[in-house]
Amino acid sequence: MDHFPVFLALSGRRVLVAGGGDAAVAKLRLLLKTTARITVAAEAVDPLIEGWAAEGRVTLLRRFPEPGDALCCPIAYAAHEDDALDAAALRVMTADGALVNVVDDLARSQFITPAIVDRDPVTIAIGTEGTAPVLARMLKKDLEERLSPALGLLARIGARLRPAAEALPKGAPRRRFWSDWFEEVGPREATEAALEALLDDHLAADSRPGHVDLVGAGPGDPDLLTLAARKALHEADVVIHDALVPQAILELARREATILAAGKRGFGASTPQAEIDALLVEHAAKGAHVVRLKSGDPTVFGRLDEEIAALDAAAISWRVVPGITAASAATAALGQSQTKRGRNGSVRLVTAHDMAGFADQDWRGLAAPGAVAAIYMGKRAARWLQGRLMMHGADPATPVSVVENASQPGQRIVAATLATLPDAVRGVDGPAVLMLGLAPRGAEAASPAPHLGGNTSGEAEGRGQSPLPLEASEA
Ligand code: SAH
């Protein structure tokens, strides 16, 4: 950044414009919006400038600038549109200590006049360091269209009530009040009375208790968040998230929000559940809007009930916002469906381990031909799972697809069978779900998969057009 943007205090200060033609008129139009005392020095001036002089809005010196004219001017313009005249004016005005802009001459200018979006007192200055004035004008047009003409009025009314608004506690309550004014109430009714009424509402509501949203963050792709999850993130004062929630999703939280990691990994370092429960209660009890962000769907292996019980015990209101669970994202990655006529009329979501260790399941059901199950937290239990399933009669050729980092940039599918499963999970470092009974579409054509013999549904399979990047195929 060669040019540092600032807003210059011009109230009661002098600005000199040397030149009286079109360029001078253009700069004067901008300067006349300010409270500066403006002097124009030029032998010949546009009638518009004559008019402004007659109204007393500018002081007119009918001559070329002389030493002393720019004294006490923080800025001055050389606007003759003539190289020699501007060079001479630049010398004189610089000697008086003014920063000089030579109109349309970036190299000789000491400052740039930005493109301005004026919603006084809200002012947006757009600069491109002289590289792309057209772009600056495009941005200006875009912002002009987007910003309500009443914005300045809203800010002025707001400024008058700012001292009264300090009755609201600093931080979230005050922030909520102002965003309600600028986004909701003000655009509808830009009056002091409306702002006073809004303040009364907020003062009354400030004793409002906190609240916890138990939100599903989905499998990791920010596009797979629900709108409700996005909205909750946008409004949260505090976000308490799982280790599996990626940065790209946390970035959707408000910049001022407090973001707390409450990691829990199957076998790694973790935050004890009781501590997480206590954190939720602690922040909500202080009146915060807390988002408890859990990977996937919060109702699937999310220890949701313990958190809800803690909130209920503390009489804190809560809501569950569902998310896309890892099994859904993994199945989508395989190009398959979870249920299929003639193959399976039910799907199981299974965890391979629980607090007590490896988790026992209905092995007979899982081992049955055509059974489909999404096995969560299954990597380390792969060999054990294999043993249990085979012991209960599962076909070793049953497809098992290991889907790692489903929906994320590092997504990887290892197409395996029950027989090869323990090898297939080797080297899988990211979160992975084991899809028992599902092969990637296309890959299944190559697999003997005798246990799928019951497929009499006649559904078209579209074989041969595999949508899947199979990085490793062990089928
Ligand atoms: N509530 C989550 C599950 C939490 S348990 C959900 O609904 O998805 C954590 C397990 O979920 C991980 O061990 C892994 O088996 C699975 N998992 C979570 N995110 C995943 C992802 N993006 N890809 C594959 N598996 C994932």
Side-chain angles (χ1 to χ4, degrees):
M1 202 195 285
D2 283 335
H3 293 78
F4 183 63
V6 294
F7 289 92
L8 198 59
L10 282 183
S11 174
R13 307 201 64 190
R14 298 185 55 234
V15 176
L16 179 63
V17 176
D22 289 347
V25 166
K27 292 298 176 240
L28 283 164
R29 281 191 201 282
L30 292 178
L31 289 167
L32 283 167
K33 291 170 181 274
T34 72
T35 47
R37 285 155 48 206
I38 303 162
T39 302
V40 178
E43 275 145 21
V45 298
D46 189 284
L48 268 172
I49 301 178
E50 301 266 14
W52 289 328
E55 290 167 14
R57 300 175 71 193
V58 303
T59 304
L60 190 53
L61 306 173
R62 292 178 188 279
R63 56 168 172 72
F64 195 78
E66 290 175 0
D69 284 349
L71 270 181
C72 302
C73 290
I75 57 168
Y77 285 89
H80 293 93
E81 300 166 272
D82 175 299
D83 280 351
L85 289 177
D86 280 341
L90 171 66
R91 264 195 308 281
V92 173
M93 299 190 296
T94 306
D96 278 345
L99 286 175
V100 177
N101 172 276
V102 181
V103 176
D104 289 337
D105 188 341
L106 182 64
R108 284 194 292 174
S109 290
Q110 290 148 355
F111 69 92
I112 295 175
T113 313
I116 295 170
V117 179
D118 175 14
R119 299 286 188 278
D120 183 40
V122 179
T123 314
I124 301 171
I126 304 161
T128 63
E129 305 222 59
T131 56
V134 174
L135 175 62
R137 280 194 290 275
M138 274 165 50
L139 291 170
K140 172 179 156 71
K141 180 169 167 283
D142 191 35
L143 289 167
E144 292 283 8
E145 284 167 4
R146 257 197 287 164
L147 297 178
S148 150
L151 196 63
L153 177 60
L154 299 190
R156 279 195 298 276
I157 295 173
R160 280 201 290 276
L161 256 81
R162 195 160 287 277
E166 271 159 30
L168 283 168
K170 235 170 135 171
R174 232 183 262 179
R175 211 164 42 228
R176 271 197 294 268
F177 165 67
W178 287 118
S179 63
D180 272 4
W181 170 241
F182 285 110
E183 286 172 14
E184 308 276 338
V185 176
R188 257 196 336 262
E189 194 191 341
T191 64
E192 211 160 302
L195 183 56
E196 272 164 9
L198 181 68
L199 181 57
D200 286 345
D201 284 355
H202 276 255
L203 285 169
D206 180 47
S207 45
R208 196 171 31 198
H211 172 83
V212 177
D213 283 330
L214 302 144
V215 178
D221 177 352
D223 277 354
L224 295 181
L225 275 173
T226 63
L227 289 176
R230 267 183 182 265
K231 193 155 176 268
L233 271 176
H234 185 69
E235 289 166 357
D237 302 309
V238 179
V239 177
I240 301 176
H241 67 91
D242 271 0
L244 287 179
V245 177
Q247 192 57 30
I249 287 178
L250 295 176
E251 266 158 28
L252 298 172
R254 227 162 18 85
R255 205 145 46 102
E256 299 81 6
T258 306
I259 313 265
L260 302 172
K264 203 140 26 82
R265 295 249 182 213
F267 293 81
S270 52
T271 312
Q273 185 60 44
E275 217 167 276
I276 299 176
D277 300 345
L279 262 183
L280 294 176
V281 170
E282 176 197 326
H283 286 279
K286 279 194 244 160
H289 176 186
V290 179
V291 162
R292 169 71 175 121
L293 194 59
K294 291 167 174 288
S295 79
D297 184 284
T299 71
V300 177
F301 305 128
R303 301 190 69 175
L304 184 69
D305 302 81
E306 288 154 77
E307 295 179 8
I308 288 177
L311 295 172
D312 279 344
I316 287 164
S317 71
W318 51 268
R319 165 182 77 136
V320 178
V321 177
I324 293 181
T325 189
S328 298
T331 312
L334 296 173
Q336 291 291 9
S337 58
Q338 292 190 355
T339 59
K340 184 165 155 188
R341 205 139 46 93
R343 183 191 64 199
N344 64 315
S346 68
V347 182
R348 295 165 210 234
L349 304 183
V350 174
T351 177
H353 78 84
D354 57 23
M355 282 181 289
F358 291 153
D360 243 327
Q361 303 291 353
D362 166 21
W363 301 114
R364 190 179 299 279
L366 288 166
V372 171
I375 305 172
Y376 290 69
M377 296 169 274
K379 272 183 308 187
R380 293 187 189 226
R383 189 166 292 283
W384 179 76
L385 285 165
Q386 180 195 50
R388 290 277 124 169
L389 288 165
M390 292 214 200
M391 203 170 91
H392 287 83
D395 186 330
T398 304
V400 184
S401 298
V402 182
V403 185
E404 181 187 13
N405 293 316
S407 88
Q408 298 184 20
Q411 174 176 299
R412 193 160 70 109
I413 295 167
V414 184
T417 61
L418 200 49
T420 63
L421 181 63
D423 292 332
V425 295
R426 217 165 284 140
V428 174
D429 300 324
V433 63
L434 315 181
M435 297 302 298
L436 174 72
L438 292 183
R441 189 178 293 266
E444 67 194 352
S447 121
H451 90 297
L452 291 179
N455 181 2
T456 52
S457 69
E459 277 176 42
E461 281 278 306
R463 283 180 185 160
Q465 35 129 42
S466 168
L468 301 158
L470 290 186
E471 291 200 19
S473 173
E474 306 193 26

